[in-house]
Amino acid sequence: MAVKSYLFTSESVTEGHPDKIADQISDAILDAILAKEARLEAEGYVAPNGARASLEDVRCACETFLTTGTVIVAGEIRTQAYVDIQKIVREVIRGIGYDRAKYGFDCDTCGVINMIHEQSPDIAQGVDGTFDRAESDELDRIGAGDQGMMFGYATDETDVLMPMPAYLAQGMARRLAAIRKDGTLDYLRPDGKTQVTVRYEDDRPVEVCAVVVSTQHDSIIEDMSLVKADMIEHVIAPVLDEAGIPWADAKIYVNPTGRFVIGGPMGDTGLTGRKIVVDTYGGMGRHGGGAFSGKDCTKVDRSGAYAARWVAKNVVAAGLAHRCEVQLSYAIGVSHPISIMVDTFGTATVDERELEQAVRKVFDLRPGAIIRDLDLRKPIFQKTAAYGHFGREDADFTWERTDRVDELRAALR
């Protein structure tokens, strides 16, 4: 039989990319609200209108838009906590590295416009309690925040069970930011993008065929051959060598258009939720279309996608399939998923129908249960907003745990 061979490409962006700045601001605001509400709840705070501070009552759907010299924050938020939006925005931008005017965007002088308002009560009623108040299980009274479908994906082609092209592109983007921040290459500026093309044979990655790195730099840099040599030495080679994948014949493109001095919000607008494929699996596996950043855990666009990854990763980690994609769907105000789909692309080591039944038995995929099991009311979200929400080895990324492997195996016995 002939070998099935094809190329697959994924990209990533650095934390200084305008869309990613927007994501980080939205999630920083969410984190600030969660942290403040938790403190108020612990203190027993009661607002003048009689409302008690409660993490369970927090609702946040925060969007950020950036352009030259301006940040606009808008959305629907419900909380008893006051947070300083202006301060949060400026701190995020400063932390990324846009802290002086010569970079084209300055955390201290940019305009910040706050257009946040309260959440619609029509939306709130679906989350605060399902329309059937007779439900005996408290978790059944927590409905999904919206309708929609979410996907999770896992593959055993990397140690963190992520697709190789996305894994490599994210690694290069992280490293590009790291060598800028630690001073290894002091001419680098915050904006940047990476892209990796991998050749597959019979659905297994065998070599890297092309790499693209575009990085913002100081205006004094004229020689792009210097930038290319530095990118190969400090970004490309370390990531690819550590991954252990051949790349000797790869075509390397660094700043293909030449100079890249004007970047960030001065070079392009930024918007929350515009890098959803970068945030997930780099195009490998499907996407339901919902963005994550700025949304609290009652929004199944976020919590449902995290849960779907959790399920898929446990299936692969248990050795029940080489690849696994999970789809969940929800209706607003309804607690139980409308549908659950498990697809192993023919790589399952057990009967797929029995595997899907085992998933339904082992995982409680009601929004309230997801929030409980993945501990999603903590202020952990800003760090998810750059370099991918999946494949991260951080204890706060609870959806990356492989803690249901034994239960899945037991359910299949």
Side-chain angles (χ1 to χ4, degrees):
M1 182 180 292
V3 173
K4 178 185 176 184
S5 179
Y6 59 91
L7 302 180
F8 197 93
T9 301
S10 295
E11 70 160 351
S12 182
V13 297
T14 66
E15 63 205 61
H17 185 282
D19 292 331
K20 277 290 138 200
I21 302 173
D23 285 342
Q24 290 167 90
I25 290 171
S26 294
D27 271 337
I29 291 170
L30 170 61
D31 281 353
I33 290 169
L34 292 173
K36 184 73 172 289
E37 189 85 19
R39 289 198 298 271
L40 293 177
E41 182 179 13
E43 295 166 0
Y45 174 79
V46 181
N49 64 0
R52 290 185 174 274
S54 170
L55 272 175
E56 290 187 5
D57 291 337
V58 168
R59 301 290 180 265
C60 182
C62 180
E63 311 282 348
T64 304
F65 172 78
L66 300 99
T67 187
T68 305
T70 305
V71 180
I72 299 173
V73 181
E76 301 78 44
I77 291 178
R78 186 179 74 186
T79 179
Q80 301 305 317
Y82 168 78
V83 297
D84 190 336
I85 299 295
Q86 286 247 358
K87 182 179 179 182
I88 293 167
V89 169
R90 297 188 192 282
E91 286 179 348
V92 171
I93 296 169
R94 187 187 312 280
I96 291 169
Y98 286 111
D99 55 3
R100 58 197 67 186
K102 70 177 184 178
Y103 293 170
F105 200 73
D106 179 11
C107 60
D108 293 316
T109 62
C110 66
V112 180
I113 301 171
N114 180 359
M115 300 179 67
I116 290 172
H117 58 86
E118 290 188 11
Q119 185 189 40
S120 160
D122 291 348
I123 295 175
Q125 70 176 342
V127 183
D128 295 341
T130 63
F131 303 113
D132 181 5
R133 300 285 177 173
E135 294 284 1
S136 58
D137 189 332
E138 188 65 30
L139 291 178
D140 278 337
R141 299 185 184 183
I142 302 173
D146 201 354
Q147 70 176 47
M149 67 283 190
M150 302 86 216
F151 287 92
Y153 182 81
T155 172
D156 62 6
E157 62 195 59
T158 61
D159 291 342
V160 294
L161 307 188
M162 285 289 286
M164 183 66 77
Y167 174 76
L168 296 176
Q170 297 283 23
M172 289 181 192
R174 278 195 301 270
R175 186 156 181 82
L176 186 56
I179 63 171
R180 169 178 61 86
K181 289 185 169 183
D182 68 16
T184 299
L185 298 177
D186 60 5
Y187 65 80
L188 295 181
R189 297 295 177 259
D191 199 355
K193 302 179 78 171
T194 59
Q195 183 174 289
V196 180
T197 300
V198 173
R199 183 168 67 85
Y200 282 74
E201 289 185 356
D202 289 335
D203 294 325
R204 306 301 294 178
V206 295
E207 68 171 338
V208 172
C209 296
V211 176
V212 183
V213 176
S214 295
T215 180
Q216 186 185 13
H217 57 80
D218 191 297
S219 60
I220 65 171
I221 300 297
E222 298 286 350
D223 185 1
M224 287 301 110
S225 65
L226 167 67
V227 179
K228 182 174 182 177
D230 283 342
M231 291 300 100
I232 292 172
E233 178 182 356
H234 296 289
V235 176
I236 298 169
V239 171
L240 296 183
D241 289 345
E242 184 179 3
I245 186 167
W247 63 283
D249 296 327
K251 295 179 180 179
I252 308 295
Y253 303 90
V254 174
N255 286 17
T257 62
R259 284 163 55 87
F260 182 6
V261 174
I262 300 172
M266 186 177 182
D268 194 5
T269 57
L271 185 65
T272 299
R274 201 157 56 181
K275 286 291 177 284
I276 57 176
V277 172
V278 168
D279 284 342
T280 52
Y281 310 101
M284 186 82 74
R286 287 169 284 194
H287 197 295
F292 303 154
S293 290
K295 296 178 181 177
D296 73 87
C297 55
T298 66
K299 310 313 191 273
V300 284
D301 278 342
R302 182 168 220 155
S303 55
Y306 287 177
R309 162 66 175 174
W310 182 39
V311 174
K313 188 171 184 182
N314 274 270
V315 167
V316 174
L320 304 175
H322 295 293
R323 298 166 60 202
C324 181
E325 183 178 72
V326 174
Q327 186 201 51
L328 308 176
S329 71
Y330 294 89
I332 187 168
V334 179
S335 60
H336 288 272
I338 301 301
S339 67
I340 300 172
M341 181 274 290
V342 179
D343 185 1
T344 65
F345 308 96
T347 70
T349 58
V350 296
D351 184 274
E352 281 200 350
R353 290 171 296 179
E354 293 180 5
L355 177 58
E356 186 169 301
Q357 292 170 1
V359 165
R360 291 174 180 270
K361 180 179 180 181
V362 171
F363 294 91
D364 188 341
L365 296 169
R366 293 173 294 172
I370 295 169
I371 293 166
R372 176 198 64 196
D373 294 341
L374 298 183
D375 201 8
L376 295 180
R377 286 199 169 100
K378 290 184 176 179
I380 60 169
F381 297 108
Q382 184 182 348
K383 60 184 172 182
T384 70
Y387 312 117
H389 292 245
F390 307 123
R392 305 276 290 276
E393 297 179 289
D394 182 311
D396 287 331
F397 287 60
T398 52
W399 49 93
E400 291 296 306
R401 296 186 306 212
T402 52
D403 55 351
R404 299 293 174 92
V405 163
D406 291 338
E407 290 180 62
L408 279 171
R409 290 171 177 163
L412 283 160
R413 294 194 193 106

mmCIF file of all heavy atoms in Angstrom, residues 270-293:
data_model
loop_
_atom_site.group_PDB
_atom_site.id
_atom_site.type_symbol
_atom_site.label_atom_id
_atom_site.label_comp_id
_atom_site.label_asym_id
_atom_site.label_seq_id
_atom_site.Cartn_x
_atom_site.Cartn_y
_atom_site.Cartn_z
ATOM 1 N N GLY A 270 -6.053 45.316 16.926
ATOM 2 C CA GLY A 270 -6.136 44.088 17.708
ATOM 3 C C GLY A 270 -7.542 43.906 18.246
ATOM 4 O O GLY A 270 -8.207 44.883 18.589
ATOM 5 N N LEU A 271 -7.997 42.672 18.331
ATOM 6 C CA LEU A 271 -9.359 42.398 18.782
ATOM 7 C C LEU A 271 -9.399 41.080 19.545
ATOM 8 O O LEU A 271 -8.821 40.077 19.101
ATOM 9 C CB LEU A 271 -10.305 42.325 17.580
ATOM 10 C CG LEU A 271 -11.791 42.163 17.878
ATOM 11 C CD1 LEU A 271 -12.342 43.382 18.608
ATOM 12 C CD2 LEU A 271 -12.564 41.939 16.578
ATOM 13 N N THR A 272 -10.083 41.071 20.680
ATOM 14 C CA THR A 272 -10.244 39.840 21.452
ATOM 15 C C THR A 272 -10.913 38.757 20.609
ATOM 16 O O THR A 272 -11.880 39.016 19.897
ATOM 17 C CB THR A 272 -11.108 40.109 22.702
ATOM 18 O OG1 THR A 272 -10.457 41.071 23.517
ATOM 19 C CG2 THR A 272 -11.316 38.841 23.511
ATOM 20 N N GLY A 273 -10.385 37.551 20.695
ATOM 21 C CA GLY A 273 -11.022 36.405 20.067
ATOM 22 C C GLY A 273 -10.736 36.217 18.597
ATOM 23 O O GLY A 273 -11.432 35.441 17.935
ATOM 24 N N ARG A 274 -9.710 36.902 18.079
ATOM 25 C CA ARG A 274 -9.443 36.782 16.647
ATOM 26 C C ARG A 274 -8.327 35.775 16.345
ATOM 27 O O ARG A 274 -7.927 35.612 15.201
ATOM 28 C CB ARG A 274 -9.103 38.159 16.065
ATOM 29 C CG ARG A 274 -9.319 38.231 14.564
ATOM 30 C CD ARG A 274 -9.527 39.624 14.038
ATOM 31 N NE ARG A 274 -8.453 40.551 14.375
ATOM 32 C CZ ARG A 274 -8.451 41.835 14.032
ATOM 33 N NH1 ARG A 274 -9.475 42.340 13.358
ATOM 34 N NH2 ARG A 274 -7.467 42.629 14.367
ATOM 35 N N LYS A 275 -7.838 35.089 17.356
ATOM 36 C CA LYS A 275 -6.796 34.082 17.153
ATOM 37 C C LYS A 275 -7.229 32.741 17.743
ATOM 38 O O LYS A 275 -6.485 32.073 18.453
ATOM 39 C CB LYS A 275 -5.483 34.554 17.783
ATOM 40 C CG LYS A 275 -4.792 35.647 16.985
ATOM 41 C CD LYS A 275 -4.249 35.131 15.668
ATOM 42 C CE LYS A 275 -3.610 36.225 14.820
ATOM 43 N NZ LYS A 275 -4.620 37.087 14.179
ATOM 44 N N ILE A 276 -8.471 32.328 17.412
ATOM 45 C CA ILE A 276 -9.016 31.134 18.036
ATOM 46 C C ILE A 276 -8.316 29.849 17.577
ATOM 47 O O ILE A 276 -8.247 28.880 18.335
ATOM 48 C CB ILE A 276 -10.532 31.025 17.815
ATOM 49 C CG1 ILE A 276 -10.885 31.033 16.324
ATOM 50 C CG2 ILE A 276 -11.260 32.157 18.530
ATOM 51 C CD1 ILE A 276 -12.373 30.829 16.046
ATOM 52 N N VAL A 277 -7.785 29.819 16.373
ATOM 53 C CA VAL A 277 -7.076 28.623 15.905
ATOM 54 C C VAL A 277 -5.691 28.562 16.557
ATOM 55 O O VAL A 277 -5.228 27.488 16.958
ATOM 56 C CB VAL A 277 -6.993 28.604 14.371
ATOM 57 C CG1 VAL A 277 -6.093 27.487 13.894
ATOM 58 C CG2 VAL A 277 -8.389 28.426 13.781
ATOM 59 N N VAL A 278 -5.039 29.713 16.698
ATOM 60 C CA VAL A 278 -3.776 29.773 17.434
ATOM 61 C C VAL A 278 -3.999 29.326 18.878
ATOM 62 O O VAL A 278 -3.157 28.640 19.467
ATOM 63 C CB VAL A 278 -3.201 31.205 17.399
ATOM 64 C CG1 VAL A 278 -2.054 31.366 18.389
ATOM 65 C CG2 VAL A 278 -2.727 31.549 15.990
ATOM 66 N N ASP A 279 -5.118 29.701 19.461
ATOM 67 C CA ASP A 279 -5.417 29.357 20.854
ATOM 68 C C ASP A 279 -5.618 27.871 21.064
ATOM 69 O O ASP A 279 -5.496 27.384 22.196
ATOM 70 C CB ASP A 279 -6.686 30.075 21.318
ATOM 71 C CG ASP A 279 -6.471 31.545 21.617
ATOM 72 O OD1 ASP A 279 -5.311 31.945 21.804
ATOM 73 O OD2 ASP A 279 -7.463 32.297 21.658
ATOM 74 N N THR A 280 -5.940 27.129 20.016
ATOM 75 C CA THR A 280 -6.324 25.732 20.181
ATOM 76 C C THR A 280 -5.304 24.772 19.566
ATOM 77 O O THR A 280 -4.270 24.522 20.163
ATOM 78 C CB THR A 280 -7.739 25.509 19.634
ATOM 79 O OG1 THR A 280 -7.817 26.014 18.283
ATOM 80 C CG2 THR A 280 -8.776 26.237 20.468
ATOM 81 N N TYR A 281 -5.569 24.252 18.384
ATOM 82 C CA TYR A 281 -4.757 23.155 17.847
ATOM 83 C C TYR A 281 -4.110 23.480 16.500
ATOM 84 O O TYR A 281 -3.712 22.579 15.767
ATOM 85 C CB TYR A 281 -5.623 21.890 17.730
ATOM 86 C CG TYR A 281 -6.362 21.597 19.010
ATOM 87 C CD1 TYR A 281 -7.712 21.919 19.151
ATOM 88 C CD2 TYR A 281 -5.700 21.043 20.107
ATOM 89 C CE1 TYR A 281 -8.385 21.680 20.343
ATOM 90 C CE2 TYR A 281 -6.355 20.798 21.304
ATOM 91 C CZ TYR A 281 -7.702 21.127 21.417
ATOM 92 O OH TYR A 281 -8.359 20.896 22.602
ATOM 93 N N GLY A 282 -4.038 24.752 16.172
ATOM 94 C CA GLY A 282 -3.364 25.148 14.947
ATOM 95 C C GLY A 282 -4.045 24.681 13.678
ATOM 96 O O GLY A 282 -3.411 24.555 12.629
ATOM 97 N N GLY A 283 -5.345 24.414 13.758
ATOM 98 C CA GLY A 283 -6.085 23.951 12.586
ATOM 99 C C GLY A 283 -6.219 22.452 12.509
ATOM 100 O O GLY A 283 -7.019 21.937 11.718
ATOM 101 N N MET A 284 -5.464 21.728 13.313
ATOM 102 C CA MET A 284 -5.588 20.269 13.358
ATOM 103 C C MET A 284 -6.735 19.943 14.312
ATOM 104 O O MET A 284 -6.680 20.255 15.498
ATOM 105 C CB MET A 284 -4.294 19.647 13.869
ATOM 106 C CG MET A 284 -4.258 18.139 13.816
ATOM 107 S SD MET A 284 -3.839 17.483 12.188
ATOM 108 C CE MET A 284 -2.078 17.835 12.110
ATOM 109 N N GLY A 285 -7.772 19.321 13.820
ATOM 110 C CA GLY A 285 -8.977 19.186 14.628
ATOM 111 C C GLY A 285 -9.868 20.383 14.354
ATOM 112 O O GLY A 285 -9.410 21.463 13.985
ATOM 113 N N ARG A 286 -11.157 20.202 14.569
ATOM 114 C CA ARG A 286 -12.114 21.258 14.246
ATOM 115 C C ARG A 286 -12.265 22.255 15.380
ATOM 116 O O ARG A 286 -11.743 22.061 16.477
ATOM 117 C CB ARG A 286 -13.467 20.629 13.872
ATOM 118 C CG ARG A 286 -13.433 19.964 12.506
ATOM 119 C CD ARG A 286 -14.658 19.113 12.237
ATOM 120 N NE ARG A 286 -14.603 17.849 12.964
ATOM 121 C CZ ARG A 286 -15.407 16.813 12.702
ATOM 122 N NH1 ARG A 286 -16.297 16.908 11.727
ATOM 123 N NH2 ARG A 286 -15.297 15.701 13.394
ATOM 124 N N HIS A 287 -12.969 23.350 15.078
ATOM 125 C CA HIS A 287 -13.189 24.409 16.059
ATOM 126 C C HIS A 287 -14.650 24.833 15.992
ATOM 127 O O HIS A 287 -15.200 25.008 14.911
ATOM 128 C CB HIS A 287 -12.280 25.610 15.769
ATOM 129 C CG HIS A 287 -12.143 26.560 16.919
ATOM 130 N ND1 HIS A 287 -13.207 27.287 17.414
ATOM 131 C CD2 HIS A 287 -11.068 26.876 17.688
ATOM 132 C CE1 HIS A 287 -12.785 28.024 18.434
ATOM 133 N NE2 HIS A 287 -11.495 27.785 18.626
ATOM 134 N N GLY A 288 -15.269 25.016 17.167
ATOM 135 C CA GLY A 288 -16.676 25.397 17.206
ATOM 136 C C GLY A 288 -16.928 26.850 16.885
ATOM 137 O O GLY A 288 -18.079 27.248 16.670
ATOM 138 N N GLY A 289 -15.869 27.685 16.896
ATOM 139 C CA GLY A 289 -16.005 29.088 16.515
ATOM 140 C C GLY A 289 -16.046 30.055 17.669
ATOM 141 O O GLY A 289 -15.906 31.262 17.468
ATOM 142 N N GLY A 290 -16.230 29.572 18.888
ATOM 143 C CA GLY A 290 -16.305 30.463 20.044
ATOM 144 C C GLY A 290 -14.929 30.794 20.595
ATOM 145 O O GLY A 290 -14.081 29.920 20.739
ATOM 146 N N ALA A 291 -14.705 32.071 20.907
ATOM 147 C CA ALA A 291 -13.448 32.501 21.514
ATOM 148 C C ALA A 291 -13.485 32.239 23.016
ATOM 149 O O ALA A 291 -14.539 31.994 23.601
ATOM 150 C CB ALA A 291 -13.214 33.982 21.241
ATOM 151 N N PHE A 292 -12.315 32.317 23.645
ATOM 152 C CA PHE A 292 -12.190 32.027 25.072
ATOM 153 C C PHE A 292 -12.009 33.280 25.924
ATOM 154 O O PHE A 292 -12.652 33.441 26.958
ATOM 155 C CB PHE A 292 -10.984 31.108 25.322
ATOM 156 C CG PHE A 292 -10.998 29.801 24.581
ATOM 157 C CD1 PHE A 292 -9.813 29.152 24.288
ATOM 158 C CD2 PHE A 292 -12.185 29.219 24.165
ATOM 159 C CE1 PHE A 292 -9.802 27.938 23.618
ATOM 160 C CE2 PHE A 292 -12.198 28.003 23.488
ATOM 161 C CZ PHE A 292 -10.990 27.365 23.213
ATOM 162 N N SER A 293 -11.108 34.139 25.534
ATOM 163 C CA SER A 293 -10.626 35.198 26.419
ATOM 164 C C SER A 293 -11.720 36.189 26.811
ATOM 165 O O SER A 293 -12.568 36.558 26.000
ATOM 166 C CB SER A 293 -9.455 35.943 25.778
ATOM 167 O OG SER A 293 -8.314 35.110 25.737
#
